[in-house]
């Protein structure tokens, strides 16, 4: 399994290396748990973040970040049950980048990224944006598809536009 995660991380880094992203919306600050994407856009700022820091204090997340992005190198640890309530308690969008198992292993107890049944969760999507509105007890998720690896810049643009909307 570690070899698969390593392969996916390398694939992620290769696919995202120095991509020019044409997003021209409002500037976004995105906390990243895992690997920071190497893309070019002056309106996007990534900051490396840890799961421990996220679980310690979520009160400043909405004022400091427009979204949280979790990448494949952190999926197994991020799907630990101790983070389920953290994700469900945030009202900040969470981007599960390159997760073919969508957001389910992260927001459901007794399910990890490794143990989640791939066939049941795979809807063909590449990335999921998840947000929970605790005031009305409602979860929303948006799925993004990548048909051609050369269109990763379009994928990022669509994701950033949605984050700016939320």
């Amino acid at each position: 399994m570690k070899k698969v995660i390593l392969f996916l991380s390398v694939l992620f880094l290769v696919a995202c290396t120095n991509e020019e992203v044409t997003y021209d919306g409002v500037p976004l600050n995105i906390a990243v748990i895992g690997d920071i994407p190497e893309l070019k856009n002056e309106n996007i700022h990534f900051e490396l973040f840890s799961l421990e820091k996220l679980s310690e204090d979520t009160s400043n997340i909405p004022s400091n970040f427009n979204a949280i992005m979790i990448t494949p190198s952190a999926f197994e640890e991020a799907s630990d049950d101790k983070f389920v309530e953290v994700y469900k308690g945030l009202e900040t969008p969470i981007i599960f980048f390159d997760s073919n198992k969508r957001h389910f292993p992260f927001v459901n107890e007794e399910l990890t990224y490794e143990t989640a049944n791939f066939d049941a969760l795979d809807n063909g999507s590449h990335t999921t944006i998840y947000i929970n509105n605790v005031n009305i007890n409602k979860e929303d998720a948006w799925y993004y598809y990548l048909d051609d690896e050369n269109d990763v810049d379009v994928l990022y643009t669509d994701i950033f536009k949605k984050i700016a909307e939320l």
Side-chain angles (χ1 to χ4, degrees):
M1 184 65 198
K2 288 182 181 181
K3 288 181 182 180
V4 171
I5 291 173
L6 179 61
F7 173 76
L8 290 174
S9 296
V10 170
L11 182 63
F12 170 76
L13 289 174
V14 170
C16 298
T17 301
N18 295 319
E19 286 290 326
E20 184 71 38
V21 175
T22 57
Y23 171 77
D24 59 359
V26 298
L28 299 175
N29 291 319
I30 299 174
V32 179
I33 298 169
D35 301 315
I36 293 183
E38 294 181 28
L39 55 86
K40 297 176 190 175
N41 188 295
E42 62 187 38
N43 290 336
I44 306 298
H45 172 73
F46 293 111
E47 184 176 320
L48 195 58
F49 214 72
S50 70
L51 286 164
E52 290 72 31
K53 191 172 179 181
L54 180 65
S55 63
E56 288 171 4
D57 182 19
T58 59
S59 62
N60 291 325
I61 297 294
S63 60
N64 294 331
F65 299 103
N66 301 96
I68 297 166
M69 177 184 281
I70 302 177
T71 66
S73 64
F75 283 170
E76 189 58 34
E77 183 182 0
S79 65
D80 189 290
D81 283 354
K82 67 184 177 184
F83 300 112
V84 169
E85 290 307 312
V86 173
Y87 304 138
K88 288 185 171 187
L90 283 173
E91 291 192 21
T92 301
I94 304 169
I95 305 163
F96 296 102
F97 191 84
D98 199 8
S99 171
N100 56 7
K101 297 180 182 183
R102 300 181 276 167
H103 61 288
F104 293 108
F106 307 99
V107 298
N108 290 291
E109 291 183 0
E110 298 181 20
L111 189 63
T112 67
Y113 199 78
E114 185 176 333
T115 62
N117 183 338
F118 176 78
D119 293 336
L121 297 176
D122 185 13
N123 69 350
S125 64
H126 179 279
T127 296
T128 301
I129 296 176
Y130 167 84
I131 191 167
N132 189 34
N133 186 329
V134 294
N135 294 327
I136 60 172
N137 197 25
K138 180 183 176 202
E139 297 177 320
D140 282 314
W142 295 266
Y143 304 109
Y144 294 84
Y145 299 84
L146 183 63
D147 295 325
D148 183 349
E149 290 295 323
N150 294 325
D151 291 337
V152 73
D153 59 325
V154 174
L155 175 76
Y156 272 119
T157 300
D158 291 344
I159 290 168
F160 297 147
K161 284 179 181 177
K162 185 63 176 180
I163 295 300
E165 237 178 68
L166 297 171

